[in-house]
Amino acid sequence: MDRVKLLSQNHQQEKEEGEGNNGRNEGTLLKPFMGVKARRLASFRTEVKGDYLDLESNAFLSDILSKRGDQKLLFADRIIKLTGSGKIKQRAMMITDRAIYLADMDSCALRRRISLASIDRICLSKLKDNFFALIIPTEYDCLMASTRKNEIVSILVEATKIKPSYEIAVVFSNR
């Protein structure tokens, strides 16, 4: 029992330290989740890199962005996409200041481009999991999983705050 109290005290101290830091770090990345979502202990001390796919050395992915006129890359990493039929697909996710790109690395094909303006909200559970759903009213929704979910959600919220015409809402529900 004392060990649990000690862990929770350390956990609280880490949260307070993270809130006091300036710049784009863990404190700012956790804002959409404060007090609502249960978090895994490993997710509190993570490095924020942004480009985990090293797009400069990957010609296929950098061509996708250059053909569509996107120049500012905010995030790039491998994610797991769950299809409507229950299949699991591994995709490369790239977030720019205008859109989200989902590419298949095995077949070197762009599978989907989602405009940031078309995203209505991001749904998350209150549990300690890596799943998130992008709710898009004009198209089909997208259920994904990533170990960097906190970074993805925070980047999407920050990217849409710049444009006052659209802002992505973050919804927590266990339904």
Side-chain angles (χ1 to χ4, degrees), residues 7 11 13 37 40 71 113 172:
L7 280 174
H11 198 50
Q13 287 175 350
K37 179 141 178 78
R40 291 173 292 126
Q71 291 152 1
R113 180 186 187 274
F172 297 91

Side-chain angles (χ1 to χ4, degrees), residues 152-170:
I152 292 169
V153 171
S154 298
I155 286 172
L156 288 173
V157 169
E158 285 178 22
T160 56
K161 278 185 181 176
I162 296 169
K163 308 220 181 352
S165 59
Y166 59 91
E167 188 172 329
I168 297 176
V170 180

Side-chain angles (χ1 to χ4, degrees), residues 23-145:
R24 186 174 166 205
N25 58 17
E26 181 204 348
T28 57
L29 286 175
L30 294 179
K31 255 188 176 162
F33 307 103
M34 290 299 182
V36 180
K37 179 141 178 78
R39 307 261 332 267
R40 291 173 292 126
L41 290 177
S43 70
F44 278 98
R45 291 288 178 205
T46 56
E47 295 279 330
V48 176
K49 184 177 173 186
D51 183 7
Y52 298 95
L53 294 177
D54 193 23
L55 245 60
E56 292 177 2
S57 65
N58 192 325
F60 162 65
L61 295 176
S62 55
D63 284 348
I64 288 174
L65 297 180
S66 64
K67 285 180 184 176
R68 283 152 185 85
D70 288 319
Q71 291 152 1
K72 186 176 180 185
L73 179 72
L74 303 174
F75 180 83
D77 193 16
R78 290 185 185 268
I79 57 133
I80 296 172
K81 180 183 179 294
L82 289 94
T83 64
S85 62
K87 293 181 182 175
I88 296 172
K89 305 282 185 174
Q90 189 165 13
R91 298 283 187 247
M93 175 188 236
M94 297 168 289
I95 302 174
T96 66
D97 55 340
R98 289 198 225 165
I100 297 172
Y101 295 91
L102 298 175
D104 187 357
M105 297 292 286
D106 297 331
S107 65
C108 292
L110 176 65
R111 294 295 179 195
R112 189 167 181 196
R113 180 186 187 274
I114 305 167
S115 171
L116 291 182
S118 66
I119 300 172
D120 183 42
R121 63 186 178 272
I122 302 171
C123 289
L124 305 165
S125 71
K126 294 181 182 179
L127 305 173
K128 298 178 184 180
D129 59 10
N130 293 329
F131 294 97
F132 63 99
L134 300 177
I135 308 301
I136 307 158
T138 57
E139 302 174 30
Y140 58 94
D141 300 337
C142 197
L143 178 62
M144 294 179 270

